[in-house]
Amino acid sequence: MVLFKGAATALVTPFRNGKVDYESLGRLIDWQIESGIDGLVICGTTGEASTLSDEEHLEVVRFAVKRTEEACGKSARRIPVLAGAGSNDTAHALKLAKALEQEGIDGLLVVTPYYNKCTDAGLLRHYTHLADRLEKPIILYSVPGRTGVNIGPAVVKELCGHPNIAGIKEASGNIAQAVEIARYCSEDFALYSGNDDSIVPLLSVGGSGVISVLSNVMPQAASRMVHAYLSGDTEAAKGLQLELKPLIDALFCEVNPIPVKQALAFLGRMEAEYRLPLCPASFSSCKRIREALMGAGLL
């Protein structure tokens, strides 16, 4: 049931002249797979799903699945593709998720309802309603700093036994909460870090990996960090976590994905283009991002 172990990249969605830049997106997918990433999450928070129309959302996922299959075919190494989904409207979330299932995905990353600040009872009913009606497994996604809604341990305890709920991306930033949630991990329910600055801490309590922003620019290092820990080389994993902390911090110096898109632009992999209300990084942030990339040996 666990969809992957290791690092999955929460991939950016490149834009050019207001439209999705499929040429750059294809190159990014190829590079991620060549670099040994363990999975791809398409149209999540980092993929700016909130400013994509449903038609664009489906088209981007369709393209990513096809490109991943082609790239994996060359290397004979299959990696899972997860599609971001979710809505503040349960009916719309279900409609979108069902459409995404038809595109050949392996699973769904389903963010909590936002703006409608539902109770724990509402969260339970929301996720159960989706999981009961979808064919692909879903990963819960808790990021209260963006949605205003937290998936607490009590909710996880109720949902982790559902046969179609495969895990949680825990991005609350609350280590104590993550440790409590880790009590419910099993072979059928995985805990993934949603914060690059605490990958190793979550692995230490039974996590299976990370859904990462960092791996947009350093896929090999992010995957190596997780697999080093899972294979018992905790010192190597700890070393990478500490070594990459300045870059991780720089990638979050403004709201995600503004900095990571700018970083990829500095690396020559895409244009730093956004859709409003997101806008280009400030001069001081660009300076910090460039210096962090240089410190990591990328420039």
Side-chain angles (χ1 to χ4, degrees):
M1 185 66 176
V2 172
L3 286 165
F4 72 93
K5 287 191 174 184
T9 298
L11 199 65
V12 300
T13 301
F15 298 126
R16 185 185 290 270
N17 299 323
K19 297 181 180 180
V20 176
D21 178 0
Y22 285 102
E23 184 177 347
S24 293
L25 178 59
R27 289 197 301 265
L28 286 173
I29 290 170
D30 292 348
W31 176 56
Q32 288 284 322
I33 293 169
E34 290 164 5
S35 299
I37 203 64
D38 302 294
L40 292 171
V41 176
I42 309 298
C43 295
T45 301
T46 311
E48 294 176 84
S50 56
T51 54
L52 297 173
S53 68
D54 283 357
E55 291 75 18
E56 287 177 313
H57 196 138
L58 291 168
E59 186 178 347
V60 171
V61 169
R62 184 181 306 123
F63 175 89
V65 168
K66 182 178 179 182
R67 187 66 169 244
T68 301
E69 289 174 346
E70 291 171 354
C72 288
K74 294 176 184 176
S75 65
R77 178 178 174 271
R78 179 76 172 90
I79 68 166
V81 176
L82 283 70
S87 172
N88 58 340
D89 170 11
T90 303
H92 178 248
L94 180 61
K95 181 180 179 181
L96 177 60
K98 278 186 168 291
L100 289 167
E101 285 187 319
Q102 305 307 307
E103 304 302 335
I105 59 171
D106 298 280
L108 293 148
L109 179 67
V110 182
V111 72
T112 58
Y114 42 86
Y115 192 78
N116 291 340
K117 297 179 71 172
C118 59
T119 63
D120 283 358
L123 276 178
L124 286 168
R125 293 177 67 173
H126 173 80
Y127 279 113
T128 300
H129 184 86
L130 297 177
D132 284 348
R133 291 162 176 79
L134 293 169
E135 296 179 8
K136 299 294 183 179
I138 70 175
I139 294 175
L140 313 175
Y141 181 13
S142 180
V143 57
R146 297 187 77 115
T147 65
V149 179
N150 179 55
I151 304 178
V155 174
V156 176
K157 183 179 180 181
E158 294 297 318
L159 292 174
C160 67
H162 194 291
N164 208 33
I165 296 179
I168 182 170
K169 177 183 177 182
E170 219 294 325
S172 70
N174 184 336
I175 292 295
Q177 173 173 286
V179 171
E180 180 67 16
I181 286 172
R183 296 177 59 214
Y184 307 114
C185 290
S186 68
E187 292 183 357
D188 295 321
F189 187 84
L191 170 64
Y192 299 107
S193 175
N195 299 95
D196 287 308
D197 61 3
S198 54
I199 298 170
V200 170
L202 262 68
L203 292 173
S204 74
V205 294
S208 294
V210 62
I211 296 176
S212 174
V213 174
L214 168 69
S215 58
N216 275 278
V217 296
M218 295 192 76
Q220 192 173 47
S223 181
R224 190 166 70 246
M225 185 193 309
V226 177
H227 287 288
Y229 192 95
L230 294 177
S231 65
D233 193 349
T234 57
E235 285 300 311
K238 180 182 74 173
L240 280 167
Q241 179 78 86
L242 298 178
E243 177 187 335
L244 295 174
K245 182 66 160 53
L247 176 57
I248 292 167
D249 290 346
L251 292 177
F252 290 91
C253 65
E254 292 190 20
V255 67
N256 179 48
I258 292 173
V260 71
K261 277 192 151 183
Q262 182 60 63
L264 286 165
F266 281 145
L267 296 176
R269 295 194 176 275
M270 57 174 279
E271 297 292 324
E273 185 175 317
Y274 313 86
R275 285 183 174 175
L276 288 171
L278 297 187
C279 61
S282 68
F283 176 82
S284 60
S285 292
C286 287
K287 183 173 182 290
R288 181 177 178 183
I289 294 161
R290 178 180 285 278
E291 288 173 349
L293 291 170
M294 292 174 67
L298 299 177
L299 285 178

